Structure formats: structure tokens, C-alpha cells
Amino acid sequence: MQRYKRELRIPGPAPVPAEVSLQMARPMINHRGRTFQTKFPEIMRRLQPLFGTERTIYMITGSGTAGMETAVSNLLRPQVPVLCLVGGFFGRRWQELCQAYGADVHTLEFSWGSGIKPPAVGDYLKQHPEIELIFVVHNESSTAVLNDVEKIAKAREGHQALLVVDAVSSLGGVPFKMDEWGVDVVVSASQKCLMAPPGTAFISVSARAFEYLKDNPQGRYYFDLRKYAEYLERGETPFTPNINNVFALEAALDMIEAEGLDNVYARHNLMRDMLRSGIKALGLELLTTKQDASPTVTAVKIEQADAFRARINQRFGVEFAGGQGVHAGKIIRIGHMGYATPLDVLTALAVLEIELGKFGQAVKAAETVLAG
Amino acid sequence: MQRYKRELRIPGPAPVPAEVSLQMARPMINHRGRTFQTKFPEIMRRLQPLFGTERTIYMITGSGTAGMETAVSNLLRPQVPVLCLVGGFFGRRWQELCQAYGADVHTLEFSWGSGIKPPAVGDYLKQHPEIELIFVVHNESSTAVLNDVEKIAKAREGHQALLVVDAVSSLGGVPFKMDEWGVDVVVSASQKCLMAPPGTAFISVSARAFEYLKDNPQGRYYFDLRKYAEYLERGETPFTPNINNVFALEAALDMIEAEGLDNVYARHNLMRDMLRSGIKALGLELLTTKQDASPTVTAVKIEQADAFRARINQRFGVEFAGGQGVHAGKIIRIGHMGYATPLDVLTALAVLEIELGKFGQAVKAAETVLAG
């Protein structure tokens, strides 16, 4: 067997740069001591341009789903009418969370592979003025679709509903403008475009949403944002955080800021465009249209997809993800988020074309896009 | 200013050995891939001797409190009668969690600095056959008290109540025998005696408790143990874990097993005894009696305790914790858990005696204990 480097080309956890991962090995410090109290709020503030907000960002030790449940457990009361926009696995997760908390869950279903249609959302809201909360996924990584959150926010028109967005697999790779778009709650996590290890979720809440949640009597403790707000005033978290993840995030933000956010976003768009050109040059079918395509993950229809990606993993050490839900076994998903570059896209395409016996075709197409 | 190494002598997060912390910098892998699926269940099984159980151990990405809430959110229904045994900050946390989940909370209060009295628990249970769950802390780190969980379990006699124990700051430093003692739920966390970084909680559940929780309709999602049980069958967690914490735990377990569990427990007892002798030699007062004293943390009464420990921290880089609740500002707490040795106890005593101008007295007493 020849040696290959392992290439993690899944939609998260994404590869972590050595500059970042080495921070994870720092000596342990007191999370109630001065170093943490000074650095933690400063590092959280550096996330604000990525969220597009001037609001506070809170950190929860947990996965992205812990961040989603933080939103749900703070906002929901039993029987409250909510609208879940579902077009994939993570939209379904919003729905399941809202059901677990006993809400009156309305669901608008969209095809798994195309974007949420803002006019459909607007129409539904007109018929249902009672809806108090809308839940949507920005980047539906299960289908490689980027939803147009700005248009969904606008589709509310005068409607009262608060908009809650899962930006776990987009934030830091795709522009997000929470304040400008009028988004009320944004959830993200460390292990995708933020280039840090998994274990931390981030959440920001508009003034209106914080008013809405602060008197909610619904039981909650570990996820209680009122506690996080209180402790952040002294630079702390209410419960012991995974301390070094904060310093890992700092190192990742150093890299993101050095590259420049606009360049980061342009790089993700370029990787998407290169990959789509290469896939088409191989005669394979993309799951999504150009308009709906995610800049951080690309889904490709392939017969017996799981066996196909297992062969590539074994032969070249390049790991793609499979399909979820209706797409299980029918697609491969190629992650290109965070610590990924146009040259990584070329190697991802190279292993596809070698496996398919179509040497050079995809790489040629992608290089043409790269050369502009 | 002279240079000193930083010495973290707080009751968690505890220092992490380099052998362990370097695992945190490993390259990222897929938590749905074969390496994780193989290693994860194997490493969880190696925790069983520390829990004293043959039951499965589940890992939650989150703090120790996330582990406690996992117990509460799976077990509680609104209005269910529960008994919280409170003798410190973390007993109070059980009570607050149970209140947040709408239980009918009975509370037995004990003095903050002495142990839970098993006969009082037995008497209360006789008068309250309706109690379904009892919540207690094994090692109450806020008061440096080790509670006698075995006797508390026995005090139930024929009573139906399930016993839920927070063993966050004891497990791995103090013997725990879940199965033998008849404990139903045990919660622990990575950042104390387990010598790993914070960010992961562990929970084990007796067969009777799993039956009790599995049909509980109470809403839960991230903490839903039924999901953890289902995913562990294929070697996974339901939500993205902080992957490298698992490998950090593996390295810590290597060290614990190489030393031998009995030796680990004896080392913690020795550190407790050395510290108590040294403190007495300085003429200072210990918060707890010998019988109640924790093997992992020691509390010492000192005037203006926070200024005292701040001076020591600044002068020597040795960091002690302060008091919580009724003891705020009145005690210092010295952690000696996990990656701590008898020589660390000597330096902890040395800085105390230097600060108090009583050179050599405490060290002499502690060395005498060490020499046997």
C-alpha cells in the first residue's frame, strides 16, 4: 500500500490548521482567573464581524446541536406556534427540537436539494399571524444548499415572528449579516468554517429576542442564556468551558483576519465554482442548481455512493461524506469549508477522476475556473 | 519579579499531563469514521472500573453540569417528588436543576462543611415513601467534603427511590462502586481526577434507572440518553463530540492504569493527610473533620482569604480557589486531584508557610506523614 496523507473532505468536522490545534495542548488554566476573564470576551467580540452583528456572542460548550437547543430551550414555551422551514436533515433537526419542547409546530417542507422559497414563507406567514418563531438553516449541509436568509427575513414583511437561523456550516465561510437582515437568533459552531476543533457552539440574540426569552418561565439550566449574559459581564461562562477551544478559536481568527473576511468568502465561492465545473466535466450530476449551491459543501449524485467513497478513502486517504435521509447511499458530499483551498479541490477532483478513469478532465475544468 | 512555574491548585480544572494534552492537538478525524467508531467504545469501557460498574458509560460533550442536566432531563417529570441532599454549592446545583425541571423538590439541608448524615436521609425517606429520586454529591468540592454514598444508598433500605450521584470531582481519585453500592445514576467529568481537559461529561445508568427514564415523555434532545444508547451501538455519539478529548482521556487512562487504581486512590488519601497535617502545624483551621475530609480538595479557614490567595498567586504563581456561598472570602480551597503528587502538596504548603512567615513548619509535618 502506498502512503497518502489523510484528507478530511467532509462537511465537518473540518481540518484544523496546526497553528490552531496546537493551542489545544496549552497548559490548563483557571476559567475563573484573570487570563481567561480578559481573553474570552475579547475573542468573542472578534466573532461579531462574522455574525454581522454588534450584539453579544455567547459560547456554549457542546456541539452545534447544543447551540440549536440553546435557542429552542430559551425561546419556546409549550404550545407556542412556531414555523420550521425544512429542506434537509438540519431543518428536520429544528423541527424535532421544537417538537421535543412541546411547541405547536407548523412545518413547511421543501425538496431536499433545493432552497427554501421565500415567497412560500411569506404566503404562509400571511395566513398564520399567530406564528411567533421561524426556524431555518442557512447552509443545509445535508443537501449542499445555501438558503437565502436575507430574503426569508424580508418575506416576513410586517409579521411579528422572530427568525432563528442555524448558521453552523456557513458562518465564517459565507457572509452573514444578522443585524442588517433583521435576523433574531444565529447559532454556529467551531468545527466548520471557523477551523477550530468541535466542542463549542456560539449564539447571538437580537435585543427583541432577548426581551422575548428573558421572562420565559420554561425550565432550562445549562442552556440558560440569562446565566451566560450574567457571567459574561465578568468575562466568564456560567459552567466550566473547554478552555483551550477559546484559544484555538483565537488562532483561527488570527488566520481569518490575516486573510481578510472578503477573501475568505471569495475563496469559498471559488472552491464551489471549481468543484461544480470539475464535476460537470466528469459527466456527473450535481444535487443542487448553481443558484442554490453552497460555498462550503458540494453534493454529487453517484450510483452506489457509499461503496464509491469507501474505495476512494481506502485507496487515497481522501474521505468524503455520504448522503442523509432521502439521499442516503445516493450522493457523496464534498466538504470545502474553513481550512480548505483551491488546491484541495483539485486533489478532491483528481481522486474522483482516477476512480472513474477520466484522467485530467475535472482538474482541467477546475483549473480553468481558478485561472479566471 | 522572579519566575515561577504556574501551579494550578484549584479543585478543577486540574492540571493536564503533557502526555494527555498533546492528544488534543491530533489531526481532526471524522466522528462517523472507523477510527472513532473503534476507539470510542473501547475507551468508554475503560472507565467502568472507575465507576465500579459493568453498565455502559455515555459521553456528553459539555461541562460537568451538562452531565448533571443529562441526569435530570432524562429522569424528571413535572411534579415528580424528588429529594435533594444539600450541603454545599453542588448539592444546591442539583436542587436548582430539579426546580428548573418543575419537580416537587424536597430538600434536606446539611451544614456547609460537614457530610450528609445517612440516618437523617433514612428518616426522611421513611416519612416520604412518595420520593422517586434522590440527588446527592459524592465529593462536595465547595466544602471539601466527601460524602459517604455507600451509607446513603443503604439508608434507603427498602425505599423505591433511585439514587443519582454527582461524582464529578471524585471519580478517578476516590473509589466508587456504583453496582455494589446500588447507585442508579453516576455523573462525572473529564477535568478533575481524570486528568483530561474540560469539555466532556460521563454518565452511567443502572438497568432500573434506564427503564425509569426510557418512557419519560419529558422533552429533551441534546441530553436524551436514549439517543446516546442508540448511537453507541455503532460506536458513535448522536452529536459531534469534541473528538480529541476522547484520545486525551485514553492517554490519561493509560497513566491511571499504569499507576494502578489502588495506588491512585492511596496517593489521593496521602495528599489529603499530608495537607491536613501541614495546615494544622501552621495553626490554621480546617473546614472539615478528618472523617468528612475529601481526598481531592482541602478547605482552610483564613482571614481575608481572597487577598491572601491573590498575594500567593502573584508572588509564586500558585493558584488556590476561594470559597463559594456562605464561605465566600473566608476559606481557600486547595485542589489535589488527578495530576497532583505528594511533592505538589509540599510546594502548596511551602507557599502558605512563607506567606505566613512560619518557615518549614508545615512541610516538616507533611514530610513526616509522607515518610509514614
Side-chain angles (χ1 to χ4, degrees):
Chain A
M1 198 189 89
Q2 289 170 293
R3 165 168 293 172
Y4 288 95
K5 285 187 288 183
R6 305 278 318 156
E7 301 273 352
L8 197 59
R9 294 268 77 82
I10 62 175
V16 176
E19 297 91 324
V20 174
S21 61
L22 288 171
Q23 298 299 317
M24 297 299 290
R26 286 165 65 119
M28 195 46 54
I29 61 168
N30 185 357
H31 63 298
R32 308 265 180 242
R34 196 162 305 169
T35 302
F36 190 82
Q37 287 164 338
T38 307
K39 297 292 286 184
F40 175 58
E42 170 198 317
I43 295 164
M44 287 302 104
R45 275 194 296 274
R46 288 169 66 188
L47 283 173
Q48 287 173 325
L50 285 66
F51 278 76
T53 191
E54 295 186 358
R55 299 285 301 167
T56 303
I57 289 154
Y58 305 103
M59 185 183 89
I60 318 292
T61 293
S63 77
T65 302
M68 294 169 79
E69 185 157 347
T70 300
V72 168
S73 66
N74 280 278
L75 293 165
L76 257 60
R77 309 178 305 280
Q79 311 308 331
V80 65
V82 306
L83 174 61
C84 293
L85 307 176
V86 179
F89 188 80
F90 291 98
R92 183 73 71 221
R93 181 158 291 179
W94 273 135
Q95 183 193 29
E96 290 173 356
L97 271 161
C98 290
Q99 285 165 342
Y101 277 78
D104 172 17
V105 182
H106 300 232
T107 305
L108 270 179
E109 300 272 355
F110 297 87
S111 148
W112 285 41
S114 57
I116 306 293
K117 309 285 180 284
V121 178
D123 289 347
Y124 195 88
L125 290 173
K126 278 196 196 78
Q127 293 156 33
H128 295 276
E130 74 277 16
I131 298 287
E132 294 190 19
L133 297 152
I134 306 167
F135 292 88
V136 69
V137 177
H138 186 210
N139 190 68
E140 179 56 80
S141 60
S142 69
T143 57
V145 163
L146 183 74
N147 285 308
D148 191 333
V149 168
E150 182 177 12
K151 285 204 179 128
I152 293 166
K154 280 213 179 94
R156 287 177 299 180
E157 296 180 8
H159 195 286
Q160 61 164 353
L162 296 166
L163 181 60
V164 184
V165 179
D166 162 358
V168 168
S169 61
S170 59
L171 197 121
V174 181
F176 201 96
K177 299 185 176 177
M178 174 174 159
D179 294 351
E180 188 182 318
W181 297 345
V183 175
D184 294 289
V185 179
V186 180
V187 174
S188 195
S190 49
Q191 77 278 16
K192 311 272 184 175
C193 302
L194 294 177
M195 307 197 296
T200 36
F202 307 101
I203 184 166
S204 190
V205 178
S206 73
R208 190 160 76 99
F210 206 93
E211 276 303 303
Y212 181 88
L213 70 82
K214 90 178 161 45
D215 298 319
N216 182 3
Q218 173 70 18
R220 57 206 190 269
Y221 198 87
Y222 186 70
F223 296 135
D224 190 341
L225 279 173
R226 296 166 300 189
K227 292 188 204 296
Y228 286 84
E230 180 195 332
Y231 275 78
L232 192 57
E233 281 178 27
R234 49 182 195 263
E236 297 181 9
T237 54
F239 312 109
T240 312
N242 40 12
I243 297 163
N244 284 342
N245 289 55
V246 173
F247 296 103
L249 177 64
E250 181 183 34
L253 287 167
D254 286 346
M255 293 174 74
I256 288 170
E257 290 167 6
E259 183 176 1
L261 258 185
D262 287 343
N263 294 328
V264 170
Y265 299 148
R267 171 167 51 82
H268 282 86
N269 285 339
L270 174 61
M271 291 191 289
R272 173 199 59 201
D273 294 344
M274 287 172 65
L275 204 36
R276 291 178 64 87
S277 280
I279 294 298
K280 281 188 265 186
L282 291 174
L284 295 173
E285 196 182 342
L286 293 154
L287 183 62
T288 65
T289 64
K290 184 176 177 185
Q291 196 193 322
D292 289 334
S294 162
T296 66
V297 55
T298 296
V300 183
K301 294 187 189 174
I302 288 185
E303 302 263 309
Q304 298 189 292
D306 290 336
F308 180 82
R309 65 192 180 92
R311 282 197 303 276
I312 287 178
N313 191 3
Q314 190 170 21
R315 203 167 157 200
F316 303 109
V318 177
E319 192 164 358
F320 299 126
Q324 291 169 304
V326 293
H327 297 303
K330 295 177 184 165
I331 59 171
I332 63 168
R333 291 177 301 141
I334 304 171
H336 37 94
M337 52 178 66
Y339 193 49
T341 73
L343 297 189
D344 292 327
V345 171
L346 293 185
T347 50
L349 288 169
V351 296
L352 291 177
E353 61 191 18
I354 297 167
E355 185 63 28
L356 295 166
K358 298 186 173 183
F359 311 117
Q361 298 178 17
V363 167
K364 179 182 171 189
E367 285 176 352
T368 308
V369 174
L370 174 56
Chain B
M1 198 190 88
Q2 288 170 293
R3 165 168 294 173
Y4 289 94
K5 285 186 288 183
R6 305 279 318 157
E7 301 273 352
L8 196 60
R9 295 268 76 84
I10 62 175
V16 177
E19 296 91 324
V20 174
S21 61
L22 288 171
Q23 298 299 317
M24 297 298 291
R26 287 165 64 120
M28 195 46 54
I29 62 167
N30 185 357
H31 63 298
R32 308 264 180 242
R34 196 162 305 168
T35 302
F36 190 82
Q37 287 164 339
T38 307
K39 298 291 286 182
F40 175 58
E42 170 198 317
I43 295 164
M44 288 301 105
R45 276 194 295 274
R46 288 169 66 187
L47 283 173
Q48 287 173 325
L50 285 66
F51 277 76
T53 191
E54 296 186 359
R55 299 285 302 167
T56 303
I57 289 154
Y58 305 103
M59 185 183 89
I60 317 292
T61 293
S63 78
T65 302
M68 294 170 78
E69 185 157 346
T70 300
V72 169
S73 66
N74 280 278
L75 293 164
L76 258 59
R77 311 178 304 280
Q79 310 308 330
V80 66
V82 306
L83 174 61
C84 293
L85 307 176
V86 179
F89 188 81
F90 291 98
R92 184 72 71 221
R93 182 158 291 178
W94 274 135
Q95 184 193 30
E96 290 173 356
L97 271 161
C98 290
Q99 285 165 342
Y101 277 77
D104 172 17
V105 182
H106 299 233
T107 305
L108 270 179
E109 299 272 355
F110 298 87
S111 148
W112 285 41
S114 56
I116 305 294
K117 308 285 180 284
V121 178
D123 290 347
Y124 195 89
L125 290 173
K126 279 195 195 77
Q127 293 156 34
H128 295 276
E130 74 277 17
I131 297 287
E132 295 189 19
L133 297 152
I134 306 167
F135 292 88
V136 69
V137 177
H138 186 211
N139 190 68
E140 179 56 80
S141 61
S142 69
T143 58
V145 163
L146 183 74
N147 286 308
D148 192 333
V149 168
E150 183 178 11
K151 285 204 178 129
I152 293 166
K154 281 212 180 94
R156 287 177 299 180
E157 297 180 8
H159 196 286
Q160 61 163 354
L162 296 166
L163 181 60
V164 184
V165 179
D166 162 358
V168 168
S169 61
S170 59
L171 197 122
V174 181
F176 201 95
K177 299 183 176 178
M178 174 174 159
D179 294 351
E180 188 182 317
W181 297 345
V183 175
D184 295 289
V185 179
V186 180
V187 175
S188 196
S190 50
Q191 78 278 16
K192 312 271 183 176
C193 302
L194 294 178
M195 307 197 297
T200 36
F202 307 101
I203 184 166
S204 190
V205 178
S206 72
R208 190 160 76 99
F210 207 92
E211 276 303 304
Y212 182 88
L213 70 81
K214 89 178 162 42
D215 299 319
N216 182 3
Q218 174 70 17
R220 57 206 190 271
Y221 198 88
Y222 186 70
F223 296 135
D224 190 341
L225 279 173
R226 297 166 300 189
K227 291 188 206 294
Y228 286 83
E230 180 195 331
Y231 275 77
L232 192 56
E233 281 178 28
R234 49 181 195 262
E236 297 182 9
T237 55
F239 312 110
T240 312
N242 40 12
I243 296 163
N244 283 342
N245 289 55
V246 174
F247 296 103
L249 177 65
E250 181 182 36
L253 287 167
D254 286 346
M255 294 174 73
I256 288 171
E257 290 167 7
E259 183 176 0
L261 258 185
D262 287 343
N263 294 327
V264 169
Y265 298 149
R267 171 167 51 82
H268 282 86
N269 285 339
L270 175 61
M271 291 191 289
R272 173 199 59 201
D273 295 344
M274 287 172 64
L275 204 37
R276 290 178 65 87
S277 280
I279 294 298
K280 281 188 265 186
L282 290 174
L284 295 173
E285 197 181 342
L286 292 154
L287 184 63
T288 65
T289 64
K290 185 177 177 186
Q291 196 193 322
D292 290 334
S294 162
T296 66
V297 55
T298 296
V300 183
K301 294 186 189 174
I302 287 184
E303 302 262 309
Q304 298 189 294
D306 290 337
F308 179 82
R309 65 192 180 92
R311 282 197 302 276
I312 287 178
N313 191 2
Q314 191 169 21
R315 205 167 156 200
F316 302 109
V318 177
E319 192 164 358
F320 299 127
Q324 291 169 303
V326 293
H327 297 303
K330 295 177 184 164
I331 59 171
I332 62 168
R333 291 178 301 142
I334 304 171
H336 36 94
M337 52 178 66
Y339 193 49
T341 74
L343 297 188
D344 292 327
V345 170
L346 294 185
T347 51
L349 288 169
V351 296
L352 292 177
E353 61 190 18
I354 296 167
E355 185 64 28
L356 295 166
K358 298 187 173 183
F359 311 117
Q361 297 177 18
V363 168
K364 179 183 170 189
E367 285 176 352
T368 308
V369 173
L370 174 56

